[in-house]
Amino acid sequence: MTQFTTPARHRSKAAAAWLACLLGVFGAHWWYVGRPRAWLFTAFSVAMLVLAQFYPVWWDNPAFLLLIVPVTEGYIEALVFALKPDEWFDAKYNPGSGRVNRTGWNAVLAAIATTFFGGTVLVFGIALIVMHVYTAMGWLDGYVY
């Protein structure tokens, strides 16, 4: 009797890096690499975006500012995926697939894009958080622009 087995799904390291860079706030890379409880990551981000709509200024409220956490996680993981060796990624996410990653320039471009785009978004996010806290604490009262 012959037993049939389905080969393990092969995941691309570069695709995981690009998903983490571009859609990391929603955990797209978690879904792609098959992490358990990826739905919690996505649900948190969606819930924060929905809650942000109930404030008069959607971008200046705690729910929206909490999105800096999944955004940061996405950018960090994009760099990890892009810069770790192919062998590391294959051992962790492609055991038994029978194929290996050979990323080349695609992963390098993902790392470069993540560094520039991620750095800009994170600095802007930190600035928004600082301005929100300073305003909420009244530290800017009486300040003339």
Side-chain angles (χ1 to χ4, degrees), residues 48-69:
M48 292 303 108
L49 283 174
V50 169
L51 287 174
Q53 302 305 311
F54 293 111
Y55 288 85
V57 181
W58 65 267
W59 51 267
D60 189 24
N61 64 72
F64 184 76
L65 298 176
L66 275 175
L67 284 174
I68 196 76
V69 174

Side-chain angles (χ1 to χ4, degrees), residues 59-62 65 127-137 140:
W59 51 267
D60 189 24
N61 64 72
L65 298 176
L128 278 177
I129 291 169
V130 168
M131 290 303 295
H132 179 79
V133 170
Y134 277 29
T135 303
M137 298 292 288
L140 297 179

Side-chain angles (χ1 to χ4, degrees), residues 16-31 35 37-50 52 58 63-78 81 114 117-118 121-122:
W18 281 110
L19 282 172
C21 175
L22 300 174
L23 296 171
V25 67
F26 298 109
H29 55 294
W30 280 43
W31 290 97
R35 288 197 180 145
R37 293 180 294 284
W39 65 272
L40 285 172
F41 195 104
T42 305
F44 174 79
S45 296
V46 170
M48 292 303 108
L49 283 174
V50 169
W58 65 267
F64 184 76
L65 298 176
L66 275 175
L67 284 174
I68 196 76
V69 174
V71 165
T72 303
E73 190 278 338
Y75 291 135
I76 290 171
E77 283 229 303
F81 288 147
T114 299
F117 186 62
V121 170
L122 291 177

Side-chain angles (χ1 to χ4, degrees), residues 13 84-92 101-102:
K13 181 179 110 167
K84 284 278 191 169
D86 293 340
E87 297 79 25
W88 173 86
F89 186 85
D90 287 333
K92 187 163 184 156
N101 275 295
R102 300 204 193 298

